[in-house]
Amino acid sequence: MYFNCIEDVKRDLECEILLLRKFKKRMSYLKRHEGLYLKINDRKDPPQYYIVKRQDGREVAKYARKDEAGIVDEIQEYRYMKFAIKACEQNIKHLQALVNNYRSLAPPDVIRNFGRSCQQQHNATKLIFNYRDAASWIASKELRKAEFNVYKPEGLIHIAGDGTRKRSKSEVLISDCLDSLGIPHVYEYPIWIDGEKLLPDFLCLDAATGQEVVIEHFGLMVKDSSREGTYSKLEKYIKAGYLINVDLIIIFEDINGNINAESIKNILKARFRL
């Protein structure tokens, strides 16, 4: 597997930086509780909190009344923020070091670092999957797929831009996004996991490396039946060794049932390095 994971690391780094800014902004307000901490009497029901501070070398505890519950929460939050800021700063340091020192194993990136004579001597370009073989890959998959009966053909009522039928408008949109980006794909190609046949929405080809990538569109997650089916299918993929955003891409709709073509394209561009 040659997937370049550094884009995911960069996104994590940006997220940590944003979190640190938010934490520090909140901490500037919570700092008024510096030097205070809590003690709890959990033998009472409900538990009783005492606000404690050091004064003249000794601890002074004050019972926190019901109307001071907000102060108790802020003191707890202050202690959490001290830990969170420290952890965030450490994460940023390590992630930044990884970004600075990362070396991609993707063949195109490796070959760029070869000397010219090395490329000629070892014919290094053979490491890269030939884009012209993509059509052969699709043809072989479609031929294999034709050996099996189509699952519920009556449900194939939506037509994609390439004229093929899909089960949902969202799948039509995903199919059109794949076509527009030139990503080879086959719809509902059967794969087996622990002897069970699954029909992923799309099986795609990373034409730069020859790696096959599954795309699953899970739609809305507000219905219990939809969630249970999604969790069950994801569990099967993960147990079989599939990695999300590596050889498994999952796409959902928002709470209103909407799906965004631009977001889908961005996900595909990041994974297939387009």
Side-chain angles (χ1 to χ4, degrees):
M1 181 180 70
Y2 299 110
F3 178 57
N4 184 347
C5 66
I6 200 63
E7 295 305 321
D8 292 330
V9 176
K10 288 178 179 177
R11 283 193 290 270
D12 287 345
L13 177 58
E14 290 174 5
C15 180
E16 291 281 348
I17 291 172
L18 287 174
L19 279 176
L20 182 61
R21 289 174 186 165
K22 291 180 180 179
F23 288 163
K24 285 187 173 180
K25 184 177 180 180
R26 179 63 176 164
M27 191 59 156
S28 64
Y29 169 78
L30 296 172
K31 206 164 185 179
R32 64 198 184 106
H33 299 301
E34 188 173 8
L36 301 180
Y37 61 96
L38 299 172
K39 283 188 175 181
I40 184 171
N41 181 359
D42 54 10
R43 288 178 291 183
K44 297 285 186 178
D45 188 21
Q48 293 179 339
Y49 286 95
Y50 293 86
I51 300 173
V52 183
K53 66 177 179 180
R54 290 190 175 277
Q55 186 174 323
D56 299 328
R58 62 189 181 90
E59 292 183 347
V60 178
K62 172 191 172 187
Y63 172 68
R65 304 183 308 271
K66 286 185 179 180
D67 61 350
E68 293 179 309
I71 296 176
V72 170
D73 290 341
E74 287 181 0
I75 293 173
Q76 290 176 321
E77 187 182 0
Y78 171 77
R79 295 177 69 84
Y80 166 78
M81 280 298 175
K82 286 183 71 174
F83 167 82
I85 287 173
K86 184 177 180 180
C88 238
E89 289 173 338
Q90 189 174 35
N91 290 343
I92 290 170
K93 178 182 176 182
H94 292 315
L95 288 170
Q96 190 62 64
L98 178 57
V99 169
N100 294 340
N101 296 291
Y102 183 83
R103 295 296 179 266
S104 170
L105 294 176
D109 298 325
V110 173
I111 290 168
R112 271 191 223 104
N113 296 322
F114 285 177
R116 187 173 179 182
S117 60
C118 181
Q119 289 190 31
Q120 293 172 346
Q121 181 179 352
H122 297 288
N123 197 11
T125 53
K126 285 186 177 180
L127 287 171
I128 304 176
F129 189 90
N130 193 330
Y131 279 83
R132 290 173 296 181
D133 291 339
S136 298
W137 178 85
I138 294 174
S140 66
K141 294 296 182 184
E142 292 289 359
L143 191 63
R144 174 64 173 159
K145 176 182 164 183
E147 297 177 9
F148 303 92
N149 293 328
V150 178
Y151 173 74
K152 293 185 178 181
E154 67 277 7
L156 298 169
I157 59 175
H158 302 283
I159 302 176
D162 62 357
T164 57
R165 291 182 174 272
K166 305 291 186 281
R167 300 185 188 279
S168 70
K169 294 176 182 177
S170 295
E171 289 176 348
V172 166
L173 185 62
I174 295 169
S175 176
D176 290 344
C177 288
L178 289 166
D179 281 336
S180 69
L181 295 173
I183 299 172
H185 60 279
V186 179
Y187 182 65
E188 290 190 346
Y189 181 80
I191 63 174
W192 277 260
I193 294 179
D194 291 334
E196 180 182 358
K197 184 173 79 170
L198 296 182
L199 291 175
D201 293 325
F202 298 92
L203 181 67
C204 304
L205 177 70
D206 184 341
T209 65
Q211 184 179 23
E212 293 181 350
V213 180
V214 165
I215 296 181
E216 284 284 11
H217 169 253
F218 289 119
L220 283 169
M221 295 291 286
V222 294
K223 296 180 180 179
D224 290 340
S225 57
S226 298
R227 284 198 300 272
E228 289 172 5
T230 295
Y231 296 153
S232 175
K233 205 168 188 180
L234 272 177
E235 185 179 22
K236 291 171 186 174
Y237 280 121
I238 292 170
K239 283 185 176 179
Y242 283 82
L243 298 175
I244 294 176
N245 291 334
V246 178
D247 50 8
L248 173 62
I249 296 174
I250 54 177
I251 297 173
F252 298 95
E253 296 170 10
D254 66 21
I255 195 170
N256 298 313
N258 300 320
I259 188 168
N260 188 313
E262 195 62 32
S263 296
I264 293 172
K265 285 185 178 180
N266 289 337
I267 291 170
L268 296 174
K269 286 178 181 178
R271 167 56 189 87
F272 292 93
R273 302 177 297 283
L274 300 174

